[in-house]
Amino acid sequence: MSNRILRHSSEVLSTASEVGPDQRRHADVEMARVLHTKPVRMALDASGAGIAHWQHEPLHDVVEPMSHHVIMAYNGSMQRIERRSGGSVAIGTFRPGVVIIIPEGSSSRWDIPKPVDVVQLYLPHATLERVADEANTATPINLLERTGHPDPVTSRLLLSAADVLEGNEALDALFRQQLTDLLATRVLAAHTGSPTPFQPTVGGLAPKVLLRAIERLRSDSDADVSLEALASDAGLSRFHFCRAFKESTGLSPHAWLRQHRLEQAMNMLRDTDESVVSVAAALGYSSQTAFAAAFRKLTGETPSDWRRRMR
């Protein structure tokens, strides 16, 4: 087959030969190999699924087959890239607002001439299947390769994860779970062979179910506040629990928990003489800086300024 050049194109279907699943590397392992560096920050679960922020030098190498779909959002100056898969070549442009998608099991050679700042999602195919099933769609999942494909929605969602890969463990884990499901939903709708219809969810949680969920989120014990635990207790899928919770409260579970903990911080700052560092540590923030940034985002003031004003 002669080379088919797709100039200024943003997508090309993979023509690379598939390898068996047992021959595929976890995405983070393959990325570390080909990029010759370590991620700036990374959060993975036991399966290798997760999110990573990379800053790496120019790349001229083959990315071998991986056991996860890899979705990337670019954060840097504009540059031209080439991606060769089998007998096809895709030429795209790295710029803010575009995405790169490498379907699991595919292999391609990349030529990127300048340094790169990128956030990557490692998405198991099982997650796509679960989200599709929870959304009551039977559309076959045929994920497309994308090379500099314009998608500002997916790009913004993924880049927003870069700042929460470290910090409060419970908040960050809940955020990543929700973000992964949201991104999987977006990928199904925008980056498969045919658009995926999703059924709307109407109505919120029953009052008793909502109360149990809020009690679990408020708990100071070691109660499991993962989406799996919250959804299981409500007798719903993760997909439908998140939608119903937001319908009932106006906030996602992650946003509700973040606001609740910052309200706890306000009470401690107003009613005790605990230092800002102690308040941040008591609420599980990894640093005073992370706590101050979250507090200021909610109130418009630093914790110290807010305390002085309230007293």
Side-chain angles (χ1 to χ4, degrees), residues 55-73:
Q55 293 175 338
H56 63 84
E57 296 302 310
L59 173 63
H60 301 281
D61 204 345
V62 174
V63 175
E64 299 293 347
M66 293 177 283
S67 58
H68 302 74
H69 303 300
V70 179
I71 293 87
M72 308 184 207

Side-chain angles (χ1 to χ4, degrees), residues 74-95:
Y74 183 67
N75 185 29
S77 58
M78 186 180 299
Q79 63 170 306
R80 176 182 178 276
I81 59 173
E82 287 189 9
R83 171 185 189 169
R84 298 173 182 269
S85 299
S88 298
V89 179
I91 298 177
T93 302
F94 256 168
R95 64 182 186 276

Side-chain angles (χ1 to χ4, degrees), residues 15 28-29 50 65 83 117 135 161 166 183 277 299 305:
T15 57
D28 62 298
V29 174
R83 171 185 189 169
D117 187 323
E166 297 173 348
L183 283 164
V277 173
T299 67
D305 288 343

